[in-house]
Amino acid sequence: MQKDRGADDPGSCSTGACVPSFLPILVACFVVAGCTTQPGYMTPDFRTPSTWSTSSVPASSPPAEIGDAWWKALADPAIDAMVPSALADSPTLAQAVAHMDEARAVVGASAAQRLPALGLTAAAGRGRSLESGPDGGTSTGSTASAGLTLSWELDLFGRVRETVTTARERLAARTADARGVRLALAAEVADGVLALRGCAHSLQVQTADIASRARTLAMTRDRLAAGFVAAVDEARAASGLANARTELALRQARCERQVHALVALTGLQGADVRERVLGAPGAAAVSFMPEPPLLTLAEPAAVLAAHPKVMAADREAAAAWADIGVARAARLPRIDLGALLTGNWMRAAGSTLHATTWSFAANLAAPLFDGGAGAAGVDAAEARYRASAALLVQAVRHAAQEIEVALTDAASAARRMDTTREAVAAARTTLSATEARWLAGATSLFELEDARRQFAGAEDSAIAARRDRAQAWVALIRASGNSAEPASFNLVSQPDVLHANALPSNPQ
């Protein structure tokens, strides 16, 4: 005998009274969802310099007042005008920003997995059917339905959470990359302006030397016609003039290449680049080289921790660490909740029927045998993390090396400033005295040519020293990452061996 199922029967779902019976299941699921497959990421420990080797030279991390627009501290109108043009029209920077935007979108898509997915379904139809029986005949009917669907994965072992963490860390890495690209682009423009201006001043020195050599050749020919010198002196003067003109052509080509490089960096026309850097024809002379301000040197650990390349490598390592959790969670059971609410409408043979149905289900899926694919996925994720951690160590060492090289160059340029000025003064005096003696017939043309070469070389060295001092300042800004902010993670003095996080054992 069949028993009637009433409202008190716990198996009855004829009304909404049975919905609360699922609450204990949901509570249990949320409790279980607190499980995790591995600890949080910690930056590996490795050794950094305790001090910079060239500590007597002020450089590295600029004071806070310099800020992101650090090039304005040089007070060079050409650099101030051209850097913003490069930042606004750089394909390289636009690509870095696009990668950052893509990473931000991935964060949004990953975070959406934490929330239930709600969908809408609808259907409508009309059909004709043949009726059975002695009378036969046909009937036409219409059907329609509409409903809502809900699906939600319970993040039992942190798969979704670690996926979101991975996306966020990669967004942080792409942000650091974009910051580094911006810094490098501004430094390249400033360095190019300084190089072009130095090249132009070297051309002026070379042009003056050629004019002097041409006058010497003319006087030598007059003396040869008068019989005071031998023909070899004319040949020597003509050879020196030809060599100087050859060198001038080579320097002009180098200057043009520098103009083309600035055109590619800034998107400006070549004429605009020349006018901004060298000044318009007939206008007031442009300042030769800016005077770079002094920079304070921060502790190596703080400078390296805030360096864009190091920050990007550290965030990539953090993302790789989170990927291990994703791979581990993929081997564990997964519960998906699903719900459906549907309204059905049907009209046939002059009558209309309405029905509302709903369902709620929890689906459990767990791998039993995958041939080792899951374990291989975990191994691959762990290997990628070790590779990322090694790249982090490499990034720290390369950044430290770049800073040390920049410090050495800055120290060298500072020392050469005084010595080259002394050399120019001495070479100028020697050339004037030798030229006077040559005019008086007391010395040979060979000695005059040698004195002229020494003076031209001294002037070139002085120009290079002033250019190198300004370029070394730019190089120090770039090498240090233009950052004096507090360290975002600890870099402590340890042996140069990476101590990777202890990888957690596979959960049972």
Side-chain angles (χ1 to χ4, degrees):
M1 182 175 181
Q2 186 176 3
K3 180 182 177 181
D4 294 336
R5 303 172 66 97
D8 294 334
D9 189 338
S12 175
C13 290
S14 59
T15 67
C18 66
V19 176
S21 63
F22 291 103
L23 290 180
I25 300 177
L26 294 178
V27 172
C29 290
F30 279 115
V31 171
V32 176
C35 299
T36 183
T37 57
Q38 65 179 18
Y41 171 77
M42 293 181 62
T43 300
D45 296 332
F46 36 79
R47 186 176 64 185
T48 59
S50 56
T51 59
W52 300 117
S53 60
T54 316
S55 57
S56 61
V57 179
S60 189
S61 293
E65 60 265 24
I66 291 183
D68 290 337
W70 53 266
W71 57 88
K72 292 185 178 179
L74 293 173
D76 189 293
I79 296 176
D80 291 345
M82 295 176 67
V83 169
S85 297
L87 296 178
D89 190 40
S90 170
T92 304
L93 183 57
Q95 185 179 23
V97 173
H99 289 325
M100 186 174 65
D101 293 339
E102 180 185 9
R104 183 178 292 108
V106 172
V107 171
S110 301
Q113 299 180 51
R114 291 179 168 180
L115 302 175
L118 186 65
L120 173 67
T121 61
R126 184 173 178 82
R128 175 176 294 178
S129 62
L130 177 65
E131 297 180 357
S132 60
D135 296 334
T138 60
S139 64
T140 302
S142 300
T143 60
S145 64
L148 296 176
T149 60
L150 182 143
S151 61
W152 186 23
E153 176 189 351
L154 292 181
D155 196 17
L156 295 178
F157 299 102
R159 186 192 70 83
V160 176
R161 181 177 63 254
E162 295 296 344
T163 300
V164 174
T165 300
T166 299
R168 286 178 175 171
E169 297 295 358
R170 292 214 163 98
L171 172 59
R174 301 292 79 76
T175 302
D177 286 341
R179 175 186 163 199
V181 170
R182 183 181 187 275
L183 174 61
L185 179 61
E188 287 179 9
V189 173
D191 190 78
V193 169
L194 299 174
L196 177 56
R197 197 169 287 150
C199 187
H201 279 73
S202 294
L203 284 180
Q204 294 178 4
V205 172
Q206 189 73 17
T207 301
D209 180 65
I210 288 175
S212 177
R213 290 178 182 274
R215 291 192 297 269
T216 300
L217 177 60
M219 288 186 290
T220 301
R221 286 172 175 168
D222 291 341
R223 290 186 174 190
L224 179 62
F228 293 116
V229 297
V232 67
D233 288 338
E234 179 191 12
R236 181 177 290 113
S239 176
L241 178 59
N243 289 333
R245 287 172 173 167
T246 300
E247 178 64 22
L248 177 64
L250 292 175
R251 293 191 182 189
Q252 287 175 335
R254 286 197 292 268
C255 292
E256 284 301 310
R257 286 196 293 270
Q258 192 59 54
V259 171
H260 298 328
L262 286 173
V263 168
L265 285 172
T266 62
L268 300 174
Q269 298 296 322
D272 294 335
V273 170
R274 294 184 185 88
E275 181 176 344
R276 291 178 185 275
V277 178
L278 307 177
V286 177
S287 175
F288 171 39
M289 288 289 170
E291 294 291 332
L294 297 179
L295 301 178
T296 59
L297 181 65
E299 291 296 326
V303 175
L304 294 173
H307 197 286
K309 292 181 180 179
V310 176
M311 293 179 68
D314 181 64
R315 295 303 90 199
E316 284 289 351
W321 178 258
D323 275 338
I324 299 176
V326 176
R328 292 187 182 281
R331 305 184 62 195
L332 299 174
R334 170 174 171 170
I335 294 181
D336 292 311
L337 301 182
L340 176 65
L341 176 63
T342 305
N344 299 279
W345 175 83
M346 182 176 63
R347 181 178 179 83
S351 62
T352 301
L353 297 177
H354 298 276
T356 300
T357 61
W358 64 267
S359 64
F360 179 86
N363 299 320
L364 172 65
L368 296 179
F369 177 75
D370 59 4
V378 174
D379 292 341
E382 292 177 353
R384 286 192 295 269
Y385 167 72
R386 292 195 299 271
S388 297
L391 289 176
L392 173 58
V393 176
Q394 186 179 47
V396 172
R397 294 183 183 180
H398 283 179
Q401 178 187 10
E402 290 176 355
I403 294 175
E404 293 286 12
V405 170
L407 286 169
T408 301
D409 293 343
S412 173
R415 289 192 296 267
R416 286 186 285 125
M417 286 291 295
D418 294 332
T419 58
T420 54
R421 278 195 294 263
E422 296 172 358
V424 168
R428 182 182 289 109
T429 301
T430 301
L431 177 59
S432 298
T434 304
E435 190 171 16
R437 293 181 62 199
W438 180 76
L439 291 174
T443 188
S444 66
L445 181 62
F446 178 80
E447 292 183 2
L448 176 61
E449 291 294 325
D450 184 65
R452 182 178 284 114
R453 281 193 298 270
Q454 291 183 13
F455 178 66
E459 284 195 309
D460 278 341
S461 296
I463 291 173
R466 294 192 62 184
R467 179 202 62 211
D468 291 347
R469 183 182 64 164
Q471 287 182 326
W473 187 90
V474 174
L476 287 168
I477 292 286
R478 179 177 182 176
S480 66
N482 185 33
S483 176
E485 294 94 14
S488 58
F489 56 90
N490 294 325
L491 296 174
V492 297
S493 296
Q494 295 287 343
D496 265 357
V497 178
L498 174 68
H499 299 291
N501 293 306
L503 297 175
S505 59
N506 291 329
Q508 299 299 323

